[in-house]
Each structure stands twice: as structure tokens, then as C-alpha cells.
């Protein structure tokens, strides 16, 4: 009787482990499928990011204006196409962004009466 | 030698010394502040034309390519010297352009409280003494020489009992080092008089508004914009 009980426990343990393995296999299959879909997406619609920086004025002084822009683009053609489009956009945006300082909230100037000698 | 030649030589020497009364100090400078992504980096030269009462500075950048951790790749092209600042040393006022095209900076609140240190070193043949101070967000070590008794230096680093020939911030971000000193006949006058002035506090407020407007500016998805939140001085402290 004792031997039969031990045999049943061993069989149950093996079955439970097999079930766990099945679950893991299913999870792995799911992950690999998602990965494959992503890889397929990356392969057919690659994404590329590009950073461009522009600056004006004297480094570190109050007239220094530095703008760093990163843009990402997706292409249906190739990674190189995505990258060149991202860089072209970043370049254009840097030029525009440097001009924003000119139209930013204008500060209140020092009243003329407090400008001695000028 | 005739009396005429002696007189000519005398008047030549007098006229040379009468005109060549200002000093031109050329500093090699760098700022590489990569503590976080809101830092900045650049290399160049600064030429300070000064006497005891006033000074004018010119700056230029140099051709270089470099990569800085956190900030990434930089490429800068050489420029010619352009006027960058004017200082009235008698009234202790600093004038310069700002990145806001309609306003000039008039900073009359930049006094640096230096502590003299009993350490000396030789720079360009001048015996220089060390001085330390904290100034608007950074700590500095400067070297000045009493052999040139002009209380001036690069940028806003003045007020010591002699000309400042070297300044380094202790965080390693800011560095000015004199590489050449000559006498010049160039006259000095304030070129920043054609626009309205803003004070240092007004500039900081305007920059704060600009900074937040820029980093929140999102013209479209998949795009990020970063501008520095400081220069040599810290503009945004919160």
C-alpha cells in the first residue's frame, strides 16, 4: 500500500512538471512569435533616429543659443532611407528652433530712467 | 646724429607710448559641461583689450570635431573674432548681447568675492597668485598677477588686485588660459548701446521661460528638443 502511494505521488509530480514545461513552451512560442512579428516589421518598415545640433553666439555667454534635436522616421524602403529622412528633418528643425529665441516671451526691459549714461 | 634726428626719434617714441596704452590678452577657452543632457560644450579664443577703466572682448571659435559623454558628437567651425562683451570697470558693469535679439544684457550685480591663497605659479613669465571663489553655480580657481596691475580678467572674472591670466572651474567645465599678451593702440568704447537693456535677473527669467518653452515644444511625434539650462553661469536653479 505504501509503495502504491509513493508511485502515485511520483506520477503526479512528473505530470505537474510536464504541465509546467508545456506552459513554458507555449510562452516561448508566444514570445518568439511576437519577436518574429517585430523583426518582420523592423525589416520591412525600419525605424532610424538622427540627432542634429546647432548653435549661435559665444559658448557659455548670455548670447549663446544651442539646440539639439532628435527625430525618428520609419521607412517602407530601407533603413538608410529612414535615417536620411530623419537627419533631413532634424537639420530643418534645428534651423527653425534656433529662431524661436527671437519670438520667445520678451522680457521686461530695464526702465529708461535706470540706465545711467545711456 | 643730428639734433633733428634726435627730436624725430623722441617724438616717435612719445607718440608710440601715448597711443599704445591698452593691453590685449588672448585667452584660450573651453567649456565642456556634461553633467547632464542640459549642458554644453565649445572651444575657442577670447581676446580682451583692457586698461584700468574699461575693456572690450572679442571671441572666436575654432575648427574641431569632438565627442562628449552624455552630450554626444559636436562639430564646430572656425569663426573670425566678433565683439562679445564690454566692461565698465569703474562702474562695475558688464554689457553683452543676449540670445534674445531685441535685448542687451546690462549686468551690474556680478561682483565676485575672491579669497586669496598663498600659492603661486608662473604664467607667460608672470608670477601669478591663486585665488578662489564661488560664482553663480560653480566654484573657481584663478591665477592673477600683480605685475600687471589691471583689475580685470576674462568674462566676469575680475576684481582681483591684478590681471587674471588663468581661470578654471573646479568641476572641470570652464577654463580660460592666457596664451599671449601684447600692447595695442586700439581704443575702447561700448558697442552695446543701440538696444534696450535687461538686468541679470531679467535675463535669467527670460531664459527660464525660453528653456521651458523649448523642451516642451513638440511639433510632432518621434521628436525631442534639448537646450542647455546653463552657460558659464547657471541660469535655472530650481
Amino acid at each position: 500500500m505504501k509503495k502504491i502511494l509513493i508511485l502515485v505521488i511520483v506520477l503526479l509530480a512528473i505530470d505537474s512538471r510536464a504541465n509546467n514545461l508545456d506552459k513554458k513552451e507555449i510562452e516561448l512560442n508566444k514570445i518568439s512569435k511576437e519577436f518574429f512579428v517585430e523583426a518582420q516589421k523592423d525589416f520591412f518598415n525600419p525605424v532610424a533616429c538622427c540627432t542634429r545640433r546647432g548653435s549661435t553666439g559665444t559658448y557659455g555667454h548670455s548670447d549663446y543659443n544651442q539646440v539639439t534635436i532628435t527625430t525618428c522616421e520609419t521607412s517602407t524602403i530601407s533603413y538608410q532611407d529612414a535615417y536620411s529622412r530623419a537627419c533631413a528633418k532634424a537639420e530643418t528643425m534645428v534651423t527653425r528652433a534656433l529662431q524661436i529665441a527671437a519670438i520667445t516671451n520678451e522680457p521686461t526691459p530695464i526702465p529708461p530712467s535706470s540706465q545711467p549714461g545711456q | 646724429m643730428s639734433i633733428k634726428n634726435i627730436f624725430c626719434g623722441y617724438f616717435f617714441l612719445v607718440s608710440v607710448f601715448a597711443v599704445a596704452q591698452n593691453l590685449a590678452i588672448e585667452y584660450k577657452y573651453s567649456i565642456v559641461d556634461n553633467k547632464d543632457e542640459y549642458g554644453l560644450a565649445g572651444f575657442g579664443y577670447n581676446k580682451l583689450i583692457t586698461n584700468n577703466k574699461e575693456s572690450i572682448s572679442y571671441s572666436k571659435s575654432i575648427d574641431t570635431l569632438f565627442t562628449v559623454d552624455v552630450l554626444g558628437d559636436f562639430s564646430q567651425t572656425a569663426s573670425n573674432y566678433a565683439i562679445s562683451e564690454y566692461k565698465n570697470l569703474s562702474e562695475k558693469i558688464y554689457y553683452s548681447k543676449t540670445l534674445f535679439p531685441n535685448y542687451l544684457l546690462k549686468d551690474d550685480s556680478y561682483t565676485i568675492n575672491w579669497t586669496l591663497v598663498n600659492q603661486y605659479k608662473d604664467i607667460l613669465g608672470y608670477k601669478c597668485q591663486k585665488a578662489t571663489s564661488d560664482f553663480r553655480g560653480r566654484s573657481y580657481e584663478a591665477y592673477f598677477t600683480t605685475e600687471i596691475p589691471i583689475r580685470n580678467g576674462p568674462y566676469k572674472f575680475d576684481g582681483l588686485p591684478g590681471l587674471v591670466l588663468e581661470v578654471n572651474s573646479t568641476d572641470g567645465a570652464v577654463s580660460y588660459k592666457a596664451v599671449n599678451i601684447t600692447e595695442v593702440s586700439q581704443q575702447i568704447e561700448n558697442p552695446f548701446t543701440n538696444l534696450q537693456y535687461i538686468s541679470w535677473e531679467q535675463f535669467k527669467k527670460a531664459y527660464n521661460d525660453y528653456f521651458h518653452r523649448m523642451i516642451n515644444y513638440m511639433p510632432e511625434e518621434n521628436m525631442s528638443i534639448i537646450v542647455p539650462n546653463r552657460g558659464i553661469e547657471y541660469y535655472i536653479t530650481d
Side-chain angles (χ1 to χ4, degrees):
Chain A
M1 184 66 186
K2 198 178 175 182
K3 280 184 182 173
I4 294 169
L5 195 66
I6 290 169
L7 187 65
V8 169
I9 291 169
V10 169
L11 284 173
L12 281 171
I14 290 169
D15 184 54
S16 153
R17 200 169 174 187
N19 273 338
N20 280 343
L21 279 173
D22 283 348
K23 278 180 192 169
K24 279 182 184 170
E25 201 175 337
I26 290 165
E27 275 175 26
L28 276 172
N29 275 340
K30 197 179 165 191
I31 290 167
S32 62
K33 197 176 174 185
E34 281 172 8
F35 180 78
F36 178 72
V37 170
E38 278 301 309
Q40 201 181 23
K41 197 175 153 190
D42 286 353
F43 184 78
F44 289 110
N45 300 301
V47 179
C49 296
C50 181
T51 299
R52 285 287 182 264
R53 182 181 286 109
S55 65
T56 57
T58 307
Y59 302 110
H61 290 213
S62 52
D63 66 331
Y64 186 62
N65 191 9
Q66 176 186 290
V67 177
T68 307
I69 292 190
T70 302
T71 58
C72 297
E73 285 288 312
T74 307
S75 171
T76 52
I77 302 168
S78 65
Y79 175 82
Q80 285 77 5
D81 178 57
Y83 185 71
S84 63
R85 290 203 294 116
C87 289
K89 184 175 273 185
E91 196 83 49
T92 308
M93 291 307 296
V94 161
T95 310
R96 279 192 211 164
L98 282 172
Q99 293 164 351
I100 291 178
I103 54 167
T104 197
N105 290 336
E106 295 198 334
T108 311
I110 299 173
S113 57
S114 67
Q115 296 180 21
Q118 301 300 334
Chain B
M1 184 181 285
S2 70
I3 290 177
K4 187 182 173 187
N5 284 346
I6 291 171
F7 268 108
C8 284
Y10 173 77
F11 281 116
F12 173 75
L13 286 174
V14 166
S15 61
V16 165
F17 284 111
V19 174
Q21 55 191 341
N22 294 326
L23 278 183
I25 305 98
E26 194 169 29
Y27 297 91
K28 192 172 184 178
Y29 80 90
S30 66
I31 177 162
V32 181
D33 184 344
N34 60 342
K35 196 176 81 177
D36 58 38
E37 61 185 339
Y38 301 110
L40 69 161
F43 298 86
Y45 284 88
N46 179 268
K47 191 193 282 182
L48 175 70
I49 313 286
T50 186
N51 56 39
N52 262 319
K53 293 178 180 170
E54 57 185 346
S55 67
I56 190 165
S57 285
Y58 300 80
S59 295
K60 70 174 183 180
S61 62
I62 55 174
D63 274 326
T64 183
L65 290 170
F66 55 99
T67 302
V68 181
D69 285 346
V70 180
L71 299 178
D73 298 332
F74 283 78
S75 68
Q76 59 175 65
T77 51
S79 64
N80 293 323
Y81 270 119
I83 295 171
S84 59
E85 62 210 40
Y86 168 85
K87 281 195 275 187
N88 183 325
L89 298 170
S90 308
E91 295 179 9
K92 193 76 178 167
I93 303 174
Y94 172 98
Y95 297 86
S96 76
K97 286 185 280 189
T98 70
L99 73 162
F100 312 114
N102 296 330
Y103 295 96
L104 296 167
L105 176 66
K106 182 181 179 182
D107 185 358
D108 56 4
S109 61
Y110 75 94
T111 301
I112 303 178
N113 296 312
W114 295 102
T115 301
L116 300 190
V117 179
N118 201 22
Q119 285 180 29
Y120 297 84
K121 75 172 180 180
D122 186 281
I123 301 171
L124 297 175
Y126 295 98
K127 185 185 177 186
C128 295
Q129 186 178 357
K130 185 176 174 179
T132 61
S133 182
D134 292 334
F135 178 59
R136 292 177 178 169
R138 300 184 201 275
S139 297
Y140 291 94
E141 292 177 355
Y143 284 89
F144 68 96
T145 179
T146 51
E147 292 172 30
I148 304 175
I150 296 176
R151 299 172 68 91
N152 203 358
Y155 195 53
K156 297 175 187 176
F157 304 109
D158 57 40
L160 282 160
L163 186 67
V164 175
L165 296 184
E166 186 176 320
V167 184
N168 297 301
S169 63
T170 56
D171 62 2
V174 181
S175 171
Y176 281 90
K177 190 167 187 176
V179 291
N180 190 28
I181 300 175
T182 51
E183 281 192 348
V184 291
S185 57
Q186 181 183 332
Q187 295 304 298
I188 300 169
E189 58 180 34
N190 186 356
F192 303 112
T193 57
N194 56 338
L195 291 171
Q196 285 187 292
Y197 295 118
I198 53 173
S199 67
W200 177 248
E201 289 304 318
Q202 288 170 318
F203 171 75
K204 279 202 302 179
K205 186 185 176 306
Y207 196 92
N208 190 52
D209 293 345
Y210 170 70
F211 174 77
H212 286 103
R213 177 188 278 203
M214 290 300 281
I215 62 169
N216 293 320
Y217 182 58
M218 191 63 68
E220 57 185 88
E221 280 183 33
N222 300 324
M223 182 177 288
S224 70
I225 300 180
I226 294 174
V227 297
N229 65 5
R230 55 192 182 267
I232 291 174
E233 294 134 300
Y234 274 63
Y235 304 146
I236 298 165
T237 47
D238 53 3

